């Protein structure tokens, strides 16, 4: 993000005597949506980020918006489906509010079919998808396709020898330019809430309602605290739940100049994503590193991804590298995102979206807004996203550890 953004909402603007209804900590896709939705509901909201909004995992290069497969359907898949189906209308509104383009497009996805097993699975998804993607109101009047297609027209996009049995193709997937998306969201939040960049949140004094910065120099007064600080939420949550219940998984990605493929579908194959963007750009990624020292460095891991992406996509072979990036995704120990209220405290959390949050952050925020306003959820959270589920999983892990300790005595 441009440096100028950092100074636009600096600490100098912070009014430390004002009492806000809610402080949202973290200006990634989740925190920005949450601040926007809460403020539009009439709450007096301040969003604080320790750096610039969009400088975390949400501000990268990839921006693939990929659905779960249309089989083994459950409330988690339904939640993600509905959030993706809602995107065209939602992004259209955001773009006109902010006066900015996000690079969103429902471009679909292809995956090469090498083996008969994957061909059978593709045919099965093609038969089943209508039942879960195109029924009721949840597709918002859109019709999505899952089908088996030939390689015709894709020889430059997918290496033909990788797809002897053709391609799996669906039309629900999309793409968005993550940085442009964050910029539009931030501009839209600034219309309805206060933004303070450079506020490194440290702890919340429930008695006084004061949230303190790490350097001890600043505080923000708020009735409710929401932690949406990406992977750093897990450390911030520790004083409330007693342990660190998730981790950051680093990822690296690259951006290439690639004219003529802007409207092609995302390609996914064996952990490699190729995501065409507007203006002759194409992102590829990404690594998944549980152990890392430097959140922002790129290394041989990315080189390997680039090599594999070029093997998969002939058009990329002579493309020029224009940017590379690394960031960290939040992943809960219980795997699924965590959205909810800490029992008995004016403290809320929304994090752990891991790899798919650009496509679900707005629905995580919508659900948490309903929880904060103590009203029924318009789109109910999947049971595995809830605070009760995560606290139960934490207890189970604790129980297992103590059983193992006594076995070893
Ligand atoms: C390599 C890579 C590729 C990705 N590709 C995709 C993709 O293709 N599709 C997709 O949907 N998603 C993708 N993601 C994003 C992923 O979904 C992330 O999980 C998501 O962006 C997390 O959003 P968030 O709002 O929870 O956190 P973040 O975006 O990380 O935002 C957290 C914010 O909190 C701030 N913060 C942290 N600690 C504090 C503190 N103490 N005080 C104040 N502020 C604080 C940070 O500065 C940051 O701005 C990718 C991520 C990576 C790393």
């Amino acid at each position: 993000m441009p440096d100028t953004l950092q100074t636009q909402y600096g600490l100098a603007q912070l009014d430390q005597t004002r009492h806000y209804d809610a402080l949202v900590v973290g200006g990634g896709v989740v925190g920005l949506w949450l601040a926007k939705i809460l403020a539009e509901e009439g709450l007096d909201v301040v969003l604080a980020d320790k750096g610039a909004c969009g400088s975390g995992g949400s501000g990268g290069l990839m921006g693939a918006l990929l659905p779960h497969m249309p089989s083994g359907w459950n409330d988690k898949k339904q939640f993600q489906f509905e959030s993706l189906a809602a995107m065209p209308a939602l992004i259209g509104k955001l773009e006109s509010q902010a006066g900015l383009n996000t690079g969103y497009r429902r471009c679909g996805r292809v995956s090469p079919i090498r083996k008969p097993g994957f061909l059978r699975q593709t045919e099965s998804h093609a038969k089943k998808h209508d039942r879960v993607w195109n029924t009721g109101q949840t597709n918002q009047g859109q019709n999505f396709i899952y089908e088996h297609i030939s390689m015709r027209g894709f020889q430059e996009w997918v290496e033909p020898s990788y797809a002897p049995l053709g391609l799996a193709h669906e039309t629900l997937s999309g793409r968005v330019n993550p940085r442009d998306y964050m910029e539009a969201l931030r501009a839209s939040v600034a219309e309805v809430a206060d933004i303070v960049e450079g506020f490194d949140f440290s702890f919340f004094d429930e008695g006084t309602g004061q949230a303190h910065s790490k350097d001890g120099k600043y505080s923000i007064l708020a009735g409710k605290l929401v932690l949406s600080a990406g992977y750093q939420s897990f450390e911030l949550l520790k004083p409330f739940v007693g342990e660190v219940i998730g981790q950051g998984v680093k990822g690296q990605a690259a951006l290439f100049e690639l004219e003529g493929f802007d409207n092609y579908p995302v390609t996914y194959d064996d952990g490699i994503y190729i995501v065409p963007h507007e203006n002759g750009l194409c992102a590829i990624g990404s690594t998944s590193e549980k152990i890392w020292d430097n959140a922002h460095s790129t290394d041989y891991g990315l080189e390997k991804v680039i090599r594999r992406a070029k093997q998969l996509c002939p058009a990329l072979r002579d493309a020029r590298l224009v940017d590379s990036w690394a960031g960290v995704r939040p992943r809960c120990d219980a795997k699924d995102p965590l959205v909810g209220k800490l029992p008995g405290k004016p403290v809320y959390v929304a994090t752990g979206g891991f790899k798919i949050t650009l496509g679900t952050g707005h629905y995580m925020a919508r659900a948490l807004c309903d929880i904060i306003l103590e009203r029924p959820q318009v789109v109910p959270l999947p049971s595995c996203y809830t605070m009760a589920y995560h606290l139960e999983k934490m207890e189970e892990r604790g129980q297992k550890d103590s059983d193992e300790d006594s076995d070893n005595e």
Side-chain angles (χ1 to χ4, degrees):
M1 305 210 81
D3 287 347
T4 49
L5 292 183
Q6 187 115 17
T7 50
Q8 204 177 334
Y9 307 113
L11 287 159
Q13 272 90 4
L14 176 62
D15 177 356
Q16 298 188 69
T17 60
R18 178 159 164 186
H19 192 285
Y20 291 93
D21 293 326
L23 162 64
V24 176
V25 174
V29 64
V30 178
L32 285 164
W33 270 113
L34 192 61
K36 177 174 161 59
I37 295 170
L38 286 175
E40 285 171 352
E41 289 285 347
L43 269 67
D44 190 14
V45 177
V46 57
L47 182 148
D49 198 290
K50 68 181 195 174
C53 292
S55 59
S58 307
L61 301 173
M62 297 266 292
L65 307 168
L66 308 181
H68 289 296
M69 289 298 102
S71 60
W73 209 244
N74 55 28
D75 61 348
K76 180 167 90 169
K77 293 189 174 192
Q78 181 68 24
F79 182 84
Q80 194 224 16
F81 169 76
E82 290 188 37
S83 58
L84 290 176
M87 281 197 95
L90 188 109
I91 294 270
K93 195 167 162 203
L94 173 69
E95 287 180 342
S96 64
Q97 280 172 342
L100 294 167
N101 178 24
T102 63
Y104 173 79
R105 182 182 166 85
R106 178 159 279 143
C107 56
R109 161 176 52 179
V110 291
S111 291
I113 307 177
R114 289 192 188 77
K115 296 190 177 155
F118 186 33
L119 178 61
R120 280 195 296 279
Q121 197 184 65
T122 301
E123 284 164 348
S124 157
H125 290 154
K127 270 192 212 134
K128 284 182 188 160
H129 80 279
D130 251 346
R131 235 178 296 152
V132 286
W133 283 1
N134 293 323
T135 52
Q137 301 301 310
T138 58
N139 59 351
Q140 310 216 0
Q142 303 155 95
N143 189 55
F144 302 111
I145 296 169
Y146 195 109
E147 60 184 350
H148 171 217
I149 59 170
S150 77
M151 274 287 291
R152 194 174 315 140
F154 286 100
Q155 283 86 351
E156 283 185 277
W157 193 235
V158 179
E159 163 59 41
S161 64
Y162 277 40
L165 301 174
L167 299 167
H169 172 237
E170 47 84 359
T171 60
L172 170 57
S173 287
R175 62 116 200 271
V176 69
N177 179 320
R179 291 176 185 175
D180 290 348
Y181 185 25
M182 292 310 105
E183 182 103 36
L185 265 177
R186 181 175 179 272
S188 162
V189 171
E191 294 291 316
V192 289
D194 282 353
I195 296 178
V196 184
E197 292 178 333
F199 183 95
D200 192 351
F201 169 80
S202 170
F203 73 96
F204 185 60
D205 181 335
E206 282 175 57
T208 62
Q210 273 178 316
H212 295 274
S213 66
K214 205 173 259 175
D215 60 12
K217 288 186 188 160
Y218 301 95
S219 64
I220 296 177
L221 272 168
K224 297 178 198 308
L225 170 74
V226 185
L227 299 173
S228 54
Y231 78 97
Q232 284 146 306
S233 304
F234 300 121
E235 276 293 340
L236 299 176
L237 261 177
K238 190 177 171 191
F240 300 107
V241 297
E243 60 183 83
V244 176
I245 59 166
Q247 63 167 315
V249 179
K250 183 178 167 181
Q252 304 177 38
L255 192 68
F256 285 85
E257 233 169 41
L258 187 64
E259 289 294 339
F261 292 87
D262 295 22
N263 298 334
Y264 271 61
V266 171
T267 301
Y268 173 75
D269 182 51
D270 195 18
I272 301 293
Y273 298 84
I274 299 175
V275 189
H277 285 285
E278 280 182 355
N279 305 322
L281 294 171
C282 181
I284 66 155
S286 49
T287 62
S288 260
E289 301 152 54
K290 285 189 180 164
I291 298 167
W292 46 272
D293 294 324
N294 184 338
H296 302 294
S297 61
T298 55
D299 57 28
Y300 62 91
L302 182 58
E303 286 164 25
K304 201 169 146 194
V305 169
I306 293 175
R307 210 167 38 246
R308 289 186 58 208
K310 288 189 173 197
Q311 285 163 357
L312 171 63
C313 176
L316 272 173
R317 286 177 195 158
D318 297 320
R320 191 172 75 88
L321 178 72
V322 288
D323 201 357
S324 55
W325 171 82
V328 183
R329 321 164 177 104
R331 191 177 200 277
C332 295
D333 289 344
K335 199 173 138 215
D336 293 302
L338 166 59
V339 180
K341 180 180 189 298
L342 286 163
K345 297 188 184 298
V347 180
Y348 302 78
V349 60
T351 190
F354 196 40
K355 289 188 175 180
I356 59 166
T357 327
L358 292 175
T360 52
H362 51 290
Y363 264 36
M364 288 166 67
R366 164 63 58 204
L368 188 55
C369 171
D370 289 337
I371 292 171
I372 290 171
L373 297 179
E374 297 181 11
R375 64 188 187 192
Q377 290 159 35
V378 177
V379 182
L381 278 176
S383 48
C384 60
Y385 277 36
T386 60
M387 182 64 73
Y389 175 84
H390 282 267
L391 293 178
E392 194 186 306
K393 289 286 157 193
M394 191 179 95
E395 253 180 48
E396 279 173 22
R397 286 192 300 273
Q399 191 57 49
K400 202 169 148 224
D401 289 348
S402 74
D403 289 349
E404 276 168 14
D405 285 348
S406 41
D407 285 348
N408 292 335
E409 273 166 15

